[in-house]
């Protein structure tokens, strides 16, 4: 029997997807993370707040309302800290990301942008935020971006790192990078092309299109337009929407997310091996045996 369970060793790329606390970049890439972190500390303002609920749903809040929840340097650092915390939240099943005071995020704080306006800093910031949002995307949590008000620039990029996106009727998504003389730098162009296709993505980016809720829904960029516009009610509606996908034991929901992440990012054989490994952690386990017993009762 043991011979049937032998599998080839996991590839480096497979390990990278499923290990926690591991950066995409290191000094071999010319990236010195600690130096950049020291520099980002010079730009305070706002906060990233995280609430982990007993039902396994986390609420991540971008909180800098005086600047439409734009990311300060300190907020970028805090986001990485919260993602690391979520990587280690073994009871977690879902995550909702939203902005304070009825708006999502307007990108980066211009004070930090102006002070870091060199190609070297631009690439370093790019690598830092790509790392953070890729790790958020790979979390074994089913994630939802709740877009109220504006999701502009980096805010528009952020929502592409979540599994699903919900909008209110009055909200707007816009990739304004072209008008700033740059391209998306947090992984947003790559993820957008994967979500809606390369041709629609090129139109959205090159036209700096203003996408209202109906347009975003038609493009397949968002999954549903919410009924409410009130901040508190929207958050409650988003949680109810997410609950349909996170019902069940955390180990099952987390394994499902890992299997889909592997299928998206790994080659076919590596993804199949990941699926085998995940089956090995669940088959014959408590949730599986309980479900079998429950189904048996239904058929009597």
């Amino acid at each position: 029997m043991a011979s049937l369970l032998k599998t080839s060793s996991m590839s480096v790329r497979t390990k990278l997807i499923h290990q926690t606390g591991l950066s995409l970049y290191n000094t071999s890439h010319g990236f010195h993370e600690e130096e950049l972190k020291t520099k980002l500390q010079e730009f305070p303002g706002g906060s990233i707040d995280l609430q982990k609920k007993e039902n396994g749903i986390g609420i991540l809040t971008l909180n800098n309302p005086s600047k439409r929840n734009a990311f300060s340097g300190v907020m970028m650092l805090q986001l990485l800290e919260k993602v690391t915390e979520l990587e280690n939240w073994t009871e977690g099943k879902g995550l909702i990301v939203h902005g304070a005071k009825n708006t999502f995020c307007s990108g980066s704080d211009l004070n930090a942008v102006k002070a870091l306006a060199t190609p070297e800093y631009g690439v370093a910031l790019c690598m830092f935020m790509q790392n953070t949002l890729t790790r958020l995307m790979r979390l074994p949590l089913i994630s939802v971006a709740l877009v109220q008000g504006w999701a502009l620039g980096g805010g528009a990029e952020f929502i592409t790192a979540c599994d699903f996106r919900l909008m209110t009727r009055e909200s707007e998504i816009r990739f304004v990078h072209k008008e700033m003389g740059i391209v998306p730098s947090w992984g947003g162009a790559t993820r957008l092309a994967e979500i809606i296709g390369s041709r629609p993505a090129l139109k959205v980016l090159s036209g700096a299109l203003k996408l209202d809720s109906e347009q975003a829904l038609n493009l397949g960029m968002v999954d549903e337009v919410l009924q409410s516009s009130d901040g508190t009610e929207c958050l409650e509606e988003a949680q109810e929407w997410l609950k349909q996908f996170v019902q069940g034991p955390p180990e099952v929901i987390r394994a499902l997310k890992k299997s889909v992440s592997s299928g998206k990012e790994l080659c076919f054989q590596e993804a199949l091996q990941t699926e085998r490994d995940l089956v090995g952690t669940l088959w014959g386990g408590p949730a599986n045996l309980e479900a079998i017993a429950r189904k048996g009762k239904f058929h009597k």
Side-chain angles (χ1 to χ4, degrees):
M1 181 64 181
S3 62
L4 294 176
L5 300 179
K6 288 182 179 178
T7 58
S8 58
S9 60
M10 293 177 70
S11 72
V12 172
R13 187 166 54 163
T14 306
K15 290 178 180 177
L16 185 63
I17 287 180
H18 297 302
Q19 282 184 356
T20 58
L22 196 61
S23 175
L24 275 66
Y25 305 111
N26 53 46
T27 53
S28 67
H29 298 94
F31 179 55
H32 299 275
E33 185 172 312
E34 293 308 315
E35 292 181 17
L36 180 63
K37 285 181 175 180
T38 300
K39 187 66 177 178
L40 290 175
Q41 290 281 7
E42 298 177 11
F43 305 99
S47 64
I48 305 293
D49 305 324
L50 176 61
Q51 177 188 8
K52 293 184 290 187
K53 305 182 73 172
E54 291 185 2
N55 63 0
I57 293 178
I59 309 293
L60 189 74
T61 306
L62 314 180
N63 191 359
N64 193 12
S66 66
K67 297 191 175 181
R68 296 171 182 166
N69 298 325
F71 271 88
S72 66
V74 167
M75 287 174 68
M76 292 181 184
L77 296 173
Q78 289 181 358
L79 179 62
L80 179 58
E81 292 172 359
K82 301 304 183 186
V83 169
T84 302
E85 184 177 344
L86 288 166
E87 286 174 335
N88 294 296
W89 186 30
T90 56
E91 300 83 14
K93 298 189 288 185
L95 178 69
I96 295 175
V97 182
H98 76 126
K101 303 295 184 182
N102 254 11
T103 195
F104 188 78
C105 173
S106 59
S108 300
D109 185 345
L110 287 179
N111 290 330
V113 170
K114 291 175 183 177
L116 302 173
T118 66
E120 293 77 15
Y121 274 128
V123 172
L125 274 174
C126 169
M127 296 169 88
F128 183 84
M129 289 301 291
Q130 281 185 356
N131 172 59
T132 301
L133 291 181
T134 299
R135 285 168 61 178
L136 184 143
M137 180 183 72
R138 289 174 175 169
L139 286 172
L141 308 171
I142 297 177
S143 59
V144 176
L146 170 56
V147 182
Q148 301 164 261
W150 288 328
L152 304 178
E157 292 194 66
F158 195 123
I159 68 172
T160 65
C162 294
D163 299 313
F164 301 107
R165 285 151 292 280
L166 305 175
M167 290 180 76
T168 60
R169 294 190 182 281
E170 301 81 9
S171 54
E172 180 182 297
I173 300 168
R174 191 179 183 209
F175 292 80
V176 297
H177 304 78
K178 186 186 78 168
E179 296 184 352
M180 299 296 293
I182 57 173
V183 298
S185 61
W186 297 359
T190 302
R191 293 187 299 266
L192 181 66
E194 195 271 333
I195 293 167
I196 65 173
S198 59
R199 290 177 64 198
L202 185 58
K203 290 179 180 178
V204 168
L205 295 173
S206 63
L209 301 182
K210 298 179 180 179
L211 301 177
D212 61 26
S213 57
E214 182 178 354
Q215 292 169 320
L217 187 64
N218 289 337
L219 275 173
M221 190 167 181
V222 301
D223 298 272
E224 192 165 313
V225 179
L226 300 181
Q227 297 298 313
S228 177
S229 297
D230 176 77
T232 302
E233 291 179 5
C234 280
L235 189 55
E236 291 175 354
E237 195 175 343
Q239 290 180 77
E240 287 301 313
W241 187 90
L242 179 57
K243 283 178 182 177
Q244 66 185 308
F245 302 111
V246 296
Q247 291 179 356
E251 64 270 23
V252 176
I253 304 302
R254 293 165 68 84
L256 284 170
K257 172 62 186 288
K258 287 179 181 179
S259 65
V260 171
S261 295
S262 297
K264 182 171 66 173
E265 294 195 62
L266 298 177
C267 73
F268 188 69
Q269 290 296 333
E270 290 175 324
L272 287 179
Q273 182 182 323
T274 296
E275 197 168 301
R276 293 195 300 272
D277 294 338
L278 291 168
V279 166
T281 68
L282 296 173
W283 195 286
N288 180 224
L289 295 177
E290 182 182 332
I292 292 171
R294 189 167 59 246
K295 291 295 183 182
K297 291 178 182 178
F298 294 157
H299 287 90
K300 287 182 179 178

